[in-house]
Amino acid sequence: MTVLEVRNLKKSFGSIRAVQDINFAVKAGEVFTIIGPNGAGKTTTLEMIEGLVTPDHGDIFFGELNWNHHANTIKKKIGVQPQSSAMFDLLTPEENLNLFATFYDQARSTEEILQLINLTDHRHNQTKKLSGGQRQRLAIGLAMISDPEIIFLDEPTTGLDPQARRNIWDIILQLKEIGKTTILTTHYMEEAEKLSDRVCIVDQGKVITLDTPSALIEKLTKEREVRLSFLDGALAAEEANLFSEKLESVTRTEREETLLKIWTTNPEDTLYDLFGFTKEKNYRVEQVSIREMSLEDVFIAFTGKEWRD
Ligand code: ATP
């Protein structure tokens, strides 16, 4: 069952096109992870879905619900990890949770949340004395206090040491066990691989690819990019595009005027079929090239352009 669907999301800030065209659907109970380089548009995408930023274009559906008509119902369905600054430093974790619980008609018990985020032993310490990892766990607890169906976690492990990171992973896996849907962003490939049911790779405000971690790895290691340019104009390239989209080994295509780019798991068969098509139509192909997927492609696709820690 689809719990969230976004279609053609777009958002610019002045001349910066932060989100250019984002489409995906999230299924109930899955951990859905958005990864991508710095500035790819992950946070802006999440903030539009969370109702914090208004999209310039596109639709966001939580089942039948949308922000224009059902904002109050959506707010009850979703839990957003608050910024660290939204917590009260002089209060204890228990007091912060109790306070956030008063914002909602219905809330989970503080006791239960403290256990889930493994902060029972620190319940009476002032929040300002917590470590980075403990603060992040509290932030997840605060997102969970209203017992939402969908939880949004924007880079919950950035800057944490490996042990603290693993503690957060445990919580995310527990959320899955109790049937919650988690939408996560991260810079860490290992994290995306370990936790996610599906990973959506975003770059320059667009979805590059979306699949299970194992299928993505498989795809990246198997796929080749084939480029053909057509002497007979954009229409010829478009016809070849429509033809190649139907070929079995072709995973996606892109056309820029007379240039056609095809990603295929079997370049030989794809080219053989395509040349059959161009010969039949009498279209002349000017240039053909096959680009290997490099380690850099894998790196960019899975970890982003910069490694941040
Ligand atoms: P990171 O991994 O670095 O957090 P991100 O993928 O979350 O990046 P966004 O934070 O969504 O990316 O930013 C996308 C682009 O939009 C960036 O170029 C960013 O500078 C710009 N941007 C985001 N929010 C604003 C804003 N409020 N005003 C102006 N520009 C913005």
Side-chain angles (χ1 to χ4, degrees):
M1 188 182 70
T2 299
V3 288
L4 166 68
E5 186 171 0
V6 304
R7 289 187 209 142
N8 307 113
L9 269 195
K10 295 186 175 106
K11 181 75 190 177
S12 294
F13 299 103
S15 60
I16 299 171
R17 292 164 77 195
V19 172
Q20 297 198 36
D21 189 16
I22 298 273
N23 298 274
F24 58 73
V26 179
K27 296 177 204 157
E30 73 175 339
V31 177
F32 184 90
T33 305
I34 304 175
I35 67 172
N38 289 320
K42 304 181 291 293
T43 301
T44 308
T45 301
L46 281 200
E47 288 182 347
M48 287 192 278
I49 298 169
E50 292 161 2
L52 302 173
V53 166
T54 311
D56 295 338
H57 182 86
D59 298 305
I60 299 164
F61 291 106
F62 292 88
E64 303 288 301
L65 311 173
N66 65 64
W67 280 110
N68 289 338
H69 299 103
H70 316 96
N72 285 334
T73 320
I74 294 174
K75 280 182 197 160
K76 287 182 191 150
K77 272 177 163 299
I78 68 170
V80 178
Q81 160 205 7
Q83 298 284 323
S84 197
S85 56
M87 300 177 204
F88 293 91
D89 271 353
L90 297 179
L91 300 184
T92 64
E94 180 171 340
E95 289 165 341
N96 264 302
L97 286 164
N98 284 338
L99 177 66
F100 272 63
T102 63
F103 302 160
Y104 303 95
D105 301 337
Q106 277 191 326
R108 280 181 93 112
S109 85
T110 296
E111 202 57 50
E112 220 181 329
I113 298 289
L114 282 168
Q115 273 178 26
L116 175 81
I117 58 178
N118 199 13
L119 278 185
T120 311
D121 291 348
H122 300 275
R123 63 195 301 160
H124 300 310
N125 295 350
Q126 267 186 341
T127 297
K128 70 174 179 187
K129 296 199 177 123
L130 299 180
S131 69
Q134 290 163 347
R135 281 182 83 89
Q136 280 294 21
R137 276 157 34 211
L138 178 57
I140 298 175
L142 294 170
M144 281 295 298
I145 194 78
S146 62
D147 200 19
E149 288 169 30
I150 307 172
I151 298 127
F152 292 89
L153 303 177
D154 194 2
E155 293 188 26
T157 62
T158 293
L160 301 185
D161 63 59
Q163 185 53 48
R165 203 173 287 162
R166 271 191 206 103
N167 292 338
I168 304 266
W169 296 359
D170 286 344
I171 298 173
I172 295 171
L173 292 173
Q174 277 186 65
L175 293 179
K176 187 175 162 63
E177 256 171 44
I178 58 173
K180 304 295 177 189
T181 306
T182 301
I183 299 173
L184 177 75
T185 68
T186 182
H187 275 270
Y188 304 112
M189 171 178 159
E190 189 195 358
E191 185 164 306
E193 219 180 307
K194 282 233 159 67
L195 299 176
S196 320
D197 292 294
R198 288 187 308 145
V199 176
C200 173
I201 302 179
V202 171
D203 195 15
Q204 295 181 1
K206 289 186 189 163
V207 175
I208 302 296
T209 184
L210 194 174
D211 219 321
T212 62
S214 56
L216 283 180
I217 292 166
E218 181 103 327
K219 236 188 235 176
L220 273 168
T221 47
K222 278 195 183 161
E223 252 180 18
R224 300 286 178 275
E225 184 189 326
V226 175
R227 292 180 176 207
L228 296 100
S229 62
F230 288 80
L231 275 173
D232 300 294
L235 204 64
E238 183 54 25
E239 274 193 42
N241 185 13
L242 294 175
F243 173 82
S244 54
E245 272 175 353
K246 293 188 199 111
L247 298 175
E248 205 184 313
S249 332
V250 172
T251 48
R252 70 187 168 105
T253 66
E254 235 178 69
R255 184 179 65 80
E256 291 163 13
E257 297 297 326
T258 56
L259 175 70
L260 178 60
K261 297 182 194 172
I262 301 165
W263 283 265
T264 170
T265 50
N266 190 335
E268 293 81 4
D269 279 5
T270 300
L271 282 172
Y272 184 83
D273 290 340
L274 255 172
F275 282 132
F277 174 80
T278 53
K279 196 166 164 43
E280 191 188 306
K281 294 272 180 180
N282 256 332
Y283 290 147
R284 287 160 301 157
V285 175
E286 191 181 18
Q287 271 187 344
V288 184
S289 63
I290 302 179
R291 200 167 75 90
E292 296 284 316
M293 298 305 280
S294 67
L295 191 63
E296 195 186 339
D297 291 310
V298 178
F299 180 78
I300 290 169
F302 279 98
T303 69
K305 281 166 188 154
E306 283 176 39
W307 189 261
R308 282 191 340 186
D309 201 357

